[in-house]
Amino acid sequence: MAKKSVASLQTKSNRLTKAIKMVKSEKSGAYTFVESIMAPEAVNDFFSKK
């Protein structure tokens, strides 16, 4: 089960999005958080990758 969060950030000329997803480790079974700041168009690709 993966949870996700998206927040919009805006600078002078760029619109950026900070995306956070929870990923389960295959070795230990523990959950870790992966976060990235990207263009809004790339958010769906970020969440679809494992």
Side-chain angles (χ1 to χ4, degrees):
M1 180 167 148
K3 293 191 176 195
K4 54 187 172 180
S5 173
V6 177
S8 294
L9 307 172
Q10 190 168 3
T11 60
K12 292 180 184 176
S13 62
N14 299 9
R15 238 189 95 178
L16 301 174
T17 301
K18 181 177 183 180
I20 304 169
K21 70 178 174 179
M22 193 165 77
V23 179
K24 186 173 183 179
S25 171
E26 293 192 17
K27 287 185 177 181
S28 65
Y31 286 95
T32 59
F33 292 96
V34 178
E35 58 184 80
S36 179
I37 297 177
M38 65 196 79
E41 298 82 28
V43 172
N44 288 332
D45 294 333
F46 176 72
F47 285 123
S48 65
K49 286 193 279 183
K50 283 194 172 187

